[in-house]
Amino acid sequence: INRYPDNKHTEIKKLVSDIKNVNINQVVFGNGTDEILDLIVRVFCNPNKDKIITLPPTYGMYDVIAKTNGVENIEIPLKSDFSIDTDKILDLKTSNIKILFLCSPNNPTGNKLKRSDIYSLIASFKTGFIIIDEAYIDFSDEPSFVLELAQYSSLIVLQTLSKAYGLASLRLGMAFADSAIIGLLNKIKPPYNIGGATQEIVVKALANPHFKKESVALILAERTRLVERLSSIKEVIKIYPSDANFILVHFNNANKLFDYLIESKLITRNRSSVALCEDSIRITVGISEENDKLVDLITKFYSA
Ligand SMILES: *Cc1c(COP(=O)(O)O)cnc(C)c1O
């Protein structure tokens, strides 16, 4: 470990391009997808001039990265059923919009976006690039847009090892796109952005054909069990359907419940102050002991 790591990520690139069935020059890796989001905004947007579109409620980093790069974020909220307001996006008269961020399955709502809506946006949004963030794609039965890159040269698909592979601490994010786009991202990425230890462990995880499948199967089984257990609590008003490794749950008195869980050393995501997610908490599916502890704590909270 006294030597610098491979700055071309040769081994993981070979494995990933085989698994995803893309060319080696259609992949770039980042220190988490979060680093790639930053690279994309810096490559395509001029500060204080260009703009991006996001569809809240969605992943918070799009807004953070736009703002830290001096790029305006135009928010077009999802409709109340968490689907895309395509008409509103296409009616925008604003100029200099360079990026449209779509997150499917979406964080924190858990639903996948309608494929027909995504196609109509790809067909009509011609002034910039469409990013499809597929951080949760492996928990869904939806096919990845990576398979369609050949048809769409302005599409960038993001995936990560942080969720389905359960390797968040290693920090490995991936972007798939036309080789011209990947070439630009490669030019501005810090050369040693993926550490040697990460590359070594990732090779092992990727080379094992069962690794991801087993991890996803475990999480999906636990998700089903967690939903069943929560459904029997009467203060649970609604559990939104999920295509991800988390569930969004509408509770009676969510703020107080969230504080109680924190005091009990269990961290969830309180989305109560987010429009369309009123009184709701996003819960990541844990291992079975963690899920049981959660349900027990919630039951205890409401019976107090
Ligand atoms: C977790 C998450 C990411 C970031 O993943 P990293 O690769 O760990 O940086 C990106 N997008 C969404 C929607 C996420 O939920």
Side-chain angles (χ1 to χ4, degrees):
I1 55 175
N2 60 334
R3 307 289 182 194
Y4 279 89
D6 174 11
N7 62 349
K8 297 198 167 62
H9 318 143
T10 316
E11 262 194 280
I12 45 178
K13 206 171 272 180
K14 213 157 70 201
L15 283 164
V16 166
S17 57
D18 274 355
I19 293 169
K20 302 291 175 183
N21 209 1
V22 296
N23 205 294
I24 245 165
N25 58 16
Q26 291 183 291
V27 194
V28 68
F29 297 112
N31 192 266
T33 314
D34 287 350
E35 184 186 42
I36 303 179
L37 292 170
D38 187 65
L39 296 177
I40 290 171
V41 168
R42 285 195 287 130
V43 152
F44 294 120
C45 297
N46 292 301
N48 307 316
K49 178 177 167 212
D50 294 332
K51 304 174 180 85
I52 66 161
I53 300 177
T54 62
L55 317 181
T58 193
Y59 187 49
M61 281 303 282
Y62 311 139
D63 185 62
V64 170
I65 284 167
K67 285 185 174 140
T68 52
N69 284 297
V71 170
E72 187 188 330
N73 175 19
I74 300 172
E75 299 191 324
I76 309 287
L78 295 173
K79 298 188 204 170
S80 57
D81 64 353
F82 299 146
S83 66
I84 308 177
D85 197 337
T86 45
D87 292 342
K88 213 164 189 178
I89 296 174
L90 298 175
D91 282 349
L92 276 176
K93 298 285 179 278
T94 321
S95 55
N96 297 326
I97 298 173
K98 294 297 169 67
I99 300 172
L100 167 60
F101 281 102
L102 305 177
C103 186
S104 184
N106 186 43
N107 176 357
T109 55
N111 61 300
K112 59 190 176 199
L113 300 175
K114 262 186 249 151
R115 215 168 173 88
S116 54
D117 285 345
I118 298 181
Y119 284 127
S120 78
L121 287 170
I122 293 175
S124 334
F125 177 75
K126 295 291 188 189
T127 61
F129 295 86
I130 295 187
I131 316 298
I132 305 185
D133 186 341
E134 294 186 338
Y136 300 100
I137 191 72
D138 294 303
F139 302 104
S140 150
D141 50 16
E142 194 75 1
S144 167
F145 271 91
V146 168
L147 303 168
E148 308 200 22
L149 286 175
Q151 284 98 287
Y152 306 118
S153 58
S154 61
L155 197 62
I156 305 176
V157 180
L158 303 179
Q159 294 187 2
T160 177
L161 296 194
S162 298
K163 312 286 160 70
Y165 281 82
L167 300 174
S169 173
L170 294 180
R171 311 303 304 131
L172 196 98
M174 316 175 255
F176 303 93
D178 188 87
S179 59
I181 295 174
I182 296 300
L184 291 173
L185 297 173
N186 263 322
K187 263 189 202 170
I188 69 159
K189 84 168 180 64
Y192 304 113
N193 63 333
I194 311 295
T198 290
Q199 294 193 44
E200 260 180 53
I201 302 172
V202 163
V203 163
K204 288 184 191 158
L206 291 174
N208 177 348
H210 309 296
F211 189 91
K212 183 185 79 178
K213 226 194 286 170
E214 282 170 9
S215 161
V216 169
L218 198 74
I219 293 167
L220 291 182
E222 276 302 308
R223 187 181 75 190
T224 304
R225 203 175 66 84
L226 181 60
V227 168
E228 276 168 10
R229 289 205 62 192
L230 287 174
S231 309
S232 66
I233 300 174
K234 87 168 184 312
E235 288 84 358
V236 169
I237 296 163
K238 177 169 186 173
I239 304 174
Y240 290 90
S242 169
D243 281 301
N245 68 341
F246 59 81
I247 46 175
L248 185 69
V249 185
H250 185 176
F251 287 101
N252 207 338
N253 219 344
N255 283 321
K256 284 233 169 66
L257 171 63
F258 173 77
D259 291 341
Y260 174 78
L261 293 174
I262 292 275
E263 281 162 29
S264 316
K265 300 199 158 34
L266 204 147
I267 300 175
T268 55
R269 292 286 275 170
N270 189 1
R271 302 285 81 182
S272 295
S273 61
V274 175
L276 299 180
C277 301
E278 288 80 9
D279 251 330
S280 297
I281 293 178
R282 182 171 78 82
I283 300 169
T284 299
V285 176
I287 57 173
S288 85
E289 299 87 83
E290 293 167 330
N291 299 329
D292 285 338
K293 182 181 168 192
L294 172 84
V295 175
D296 291 347
L297 283 170
I298 294 173
T299 309
K300 204 165 140 202
F301 172 79
Y302 285 119
S303 61

